[in-house]
């Protein structure tokens, strides 16, 4: 090769290197300036104004639509209250997240990070569209980093993807956006439980020993209960009851065969549970009511106990005052006696107050129950579905 050609090639190489360095230097300031900025600019300021969040997955299919209404957040697809705590955690985490590293801006490489457009049938990420307080904000949340802490994201409609400084997980199962807590009625409030399925009948009552245990009331002659605690789990069905899923009553109607249970509380609240199996899952519908006659008796008993307690305290206080007077020989001043509780001072008003509270509880429960079928966790359904024979020791 001639010296002239060598010189030309050297000049071209230097020019190309210079162009590359210039391009790199031109890009770097803009990317570096974007580091440590919010993962989704503008979200933090608009959090209080957020009214709707839509989660969209592969094939542009909507996973969940969460909307805020007068009664709080709802999962639109299920027409049921949403887990506002989980949504708050997601949005707050995303609002506080910072960009720490620029990643690919090439669409053909997005799938390595899980930030490809969710219109693709095999898209891995979830697009969050957040509405309220201005123009909608949208971001695609992809994979977590392989080592350390961080998640890959890409603002929807932008080419540049980013690694942010925290793990952000977006639940892809719509049922997991539900408010899953259904009831929490403590066993010590339960007076009795009746469960029936055809001719099979189970009757459970609270032990008279007042030890918090329950006994099988319809124990067959000559048989023994499986254990002293065999009825406790059934009586505790309504304690910490959470659901796995929910459907409209018309979408998941009650099917035969059915098991029907009635839980009666000591203060007059009744909860009827109709349950059944469908496609390997346990479903139930619930309804609350108030037995005002039983509630009235419970209130009268509570008032009698309050009166006896009040009188005992008064007698004790009178005895202490007499002792103090004898010891001191003179009065140092009168103490104002504490006011009697409403159950003692105005039993009629106390009764109405207690009944009003119970009626409000029934109304709130039925507002939650009405128009829905609830998928029960397996362990809860198992306690409800036991036949009478399962409560008993095997026959000799």
């Amino acid at each position: 090769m001639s010296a002239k050609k060598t010189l030309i090639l050297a000049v071209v190489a230097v020019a190309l290197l210079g162009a590359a360095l210039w391009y790199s230097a031109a890009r770097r300031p803009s990317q570096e300036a974007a580091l440590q900025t919010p993962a989704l600019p503008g979200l933090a300021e608009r959090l209080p104004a957020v009214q709707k969040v839509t989660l969209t997955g592969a094939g542009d299919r909507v996973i969940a639509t969460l909307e805020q209404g007068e009664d709080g957040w709802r999962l639109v697809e299920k027409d049921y209250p949403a887990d506002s705590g989980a949504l708050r955690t997601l949005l707050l985490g995303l609002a506080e997240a910072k960009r720490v590293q620029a990643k690919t801006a090439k669409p053909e490489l997005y799938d390595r990070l899980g930030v490809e457009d969710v219109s693709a049938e095999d898209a891995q990420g979830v697009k969050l569209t957040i509405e309220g307080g201005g123009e909608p904000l949208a971001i695609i949340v992809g994979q977590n980093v392989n080592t350390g802490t961080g998640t890959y994201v890409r603002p929807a409609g932008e080419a540049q993807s980013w690694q942010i400084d925290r793990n952000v997980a977006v639940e892809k199962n719509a049922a997991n956006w539900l408010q899953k807590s259904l009831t929490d009625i403590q066993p010590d409030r339960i007076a009795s439980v009746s469960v029936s399925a055809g001719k099979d009948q189970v009757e459970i009552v609270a032990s008279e020993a007042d030890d918090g245990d329950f006994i099988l009331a319809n124990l067959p002659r000559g048989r023994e209960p499986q254990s002293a605690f065999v009825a406790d789990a059934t009586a505790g069905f309504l304690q910490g009851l959470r659901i796995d899923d929910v459907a409209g009553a018309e979408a998941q109607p009650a099917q035969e065969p059915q098991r029907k249970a009635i839980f009666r509380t000591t203060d007059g609240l009744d909860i009827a549970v109709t349950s059944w199996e469908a496609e390997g899952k346990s479903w139930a519908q619930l309804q609350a009511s108030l037995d005002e006659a039983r509630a009235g008796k419970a209130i009268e008993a509570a008032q009698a106990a309050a009166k006896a307690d009040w009188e005992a305290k008064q007698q004790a206080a009178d005895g202490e005052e007499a002792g103090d007077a004898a010891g001191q020989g003179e009065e140092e001043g009168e103490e104002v006696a504490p006011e009697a509780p409403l159950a003692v001072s105005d039993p009629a008003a106390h009764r109405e107050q207690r009944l009003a509270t119970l009626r409000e509880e029934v109304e709130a429960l039925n507002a939650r129950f009405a128009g829905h079928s609830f998928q029960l966790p397996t362990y809860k359904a198992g306690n409800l579905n036991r036949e009478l024979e399962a409560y008993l020791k095997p026959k000799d």
Side-chain angles (χ1 to χ4, degrees):
M1 181 181 295
S2 67
K4 184 177 180 180
K5 289 183 178 180
T6 301
L7 179 60
I8 291 173
L9 289 175
V11 171
V12 171
V14 170
L16 290 174
L17 178 60
L21 291 172
W22 175 86
Y23 179 73
S24 176
R27 285 189 70 201
R28 192 179 300 117
S30 63
Q31 290 187 354
E32 289 179 352
L35 295 180
Q36 294 303 317
T37 59
L40 186 56
L43 176 59
E45 296 78 12
R46 287 168 55 176
L47 280 179
V50 172
Q51 294 292 318
K52 181 178 180 180
V53 178
T54 305
L55 283 64
T56 308
D60 269 335
R61 285 182 282 273
V62 174
I63 296 170
T65 307
L66 305 164
E67 281 190 354
Q68 189 170 36
E70 294 181 359
D71 298 328
W73 286 91
R74 294 188 73 81
L75 177 59
V76 174
E77 286 75 14
K78 301 283 187 178
D79 188 26
Y80 195 77
D83 187 344
S84 58
L87 178 60
R88 187 182 304 111
T89 297
L90 172 64
L91 293 180
L92 187 60
L94 193 57
E96 294 177 346
K98 304 294 184 185
R99 299 171 178 177
V100 294
Q101 186 177 1
K103 305 304 289 186
T104 186
K106 298 179 179 180
E108 64 271 22
L109 300 180
Y110 288 160
D111 61 349
R112 298 183 182 181
L113 309 179
V115 295
E116 62 268 45
D117 288 343
V118 295
S119 57
E121 286 294 332
D122 58 352
Q124 305 165 67
V126 176
K127 182 173 77 172
L128 271 66
T129 304
I130 303 164
E131 300 179 48
E135 288 297 314
L137 301 173
I139 190 169
I140 298 170
V141 179
Q143 304 168 4
N144 288 340
V145 299
N146 290 328
T147 58
T149 301
T151 303
Y152 301 120
V153 301
R154 182 170 64 87
E158 296 184 13
Q160 184 65 56
S161 61
W162 302 89
Q163 178 183 330
I164 59 176
D165 62 356
R166 63 182 60 203
N167 292 339
V168 176
V170 182
E171 178 57 58
K172 295 182 180 181
N173 183 348
N176 288 338
W177 286 104
L178 292 167
Q179 172 53 258
K180 293 197 171 186
S181 178
L182 188 61
T183 64
D184 192 22
I185 296 175
Q186 301 302 307
D188 61 6
R189 193 180 167 190
I190 299 296
S192 67
V193 184
S194 299
V195 186
S196 62
K199 294 182 178 180
D200 191 71
Q201 187 81 19
V202 176
E203 296 287 347
I204 294 170
V205 296
S207 170
E208 293 182 358
D210 195 25
D211 53 8
D213 290 332
F214 292 83
I215 61 174
L216 195 62
N218 63 328
L219 183 67
R221 182 177 297 178
R223 300 294 299 276
E224 295 181 41
Q226 193 180 90
S227 75
F229 313 106
V230 67
D232 291 3
T234 303
F237 174 79
L238 296 173
Q239 180 185 21
L241 177 58
R242 294 174 61 83
I243 60 174
D244 284 346
D245 202 351
V246 65
E250 295 181 358
Q252 182 55 261
Q255 300 180 20
E256 297 292 344
Q258 297 177 6
R259 186 168 292 270
K260 297 185 178 182
I262 299 179
F263 293 80
R264 301 179 181 89
T265 70
T266 56
D267 53 0
L269 174 65
D270 290 344
I271 295 185
V273 182
T274 301
S275 61
W276 67 95
E277 300 291 314
E279 298 180 355
K281 298 177 181 177
S282 297
W283 291 86
Q285 293 175 356
L286 293 82
Q287 184 173 16
S289 60
L290 180 63
D291 183 332
E292 296 212 3
R294 196 167 82 249
K297 290 180 180 179
I299 293 169
E300 289 173 3
Q303 289 175 347
K307 183 178 180 181
D309 182 63
W310 171 252
E311 290 175 347
K313 288 179 178 178
Q314 288 297 100
Q315 289 177 0
D318 290 344
E320 289 177 3
E321 288 178 6
D324 290 343
Q328 295 173 3
E330 60 180 17
E331 295 253 351
E332 292 186 358
E334 293 186 6
E335 293 185 4
V336 178
E339 187 176 345
L342 188 64
V344 176
S345 64
D346 193 341
H350 173 261
R351 176 189 175 89
E352 285 308 309
Q353 186 182 80
R354 288 293 303 131
L355 286 174
T357 299
L358 288 166
R359 292 178 189 127
E360 289 173 3
E361 182 180 16
V362 168
E363 184 178 351
L365 286 169
N366 282 332
R368 197 179 310 158
F369 299 156
H372 294 96
S373 297
F374 301 96
Q375 185 187 334
L376 302 176
T378 301
Y379 77 98
K380 283 288 190 179
N383 291 331
L384 199 64
N385 292 341
R386 285 185 295 172
E387 296 180 350
L388 177 59
E389 192 65 28
Y391 289 83
L392 309 174
K393 286 183 178 180
K395 294 180 180 179
D396 293 334

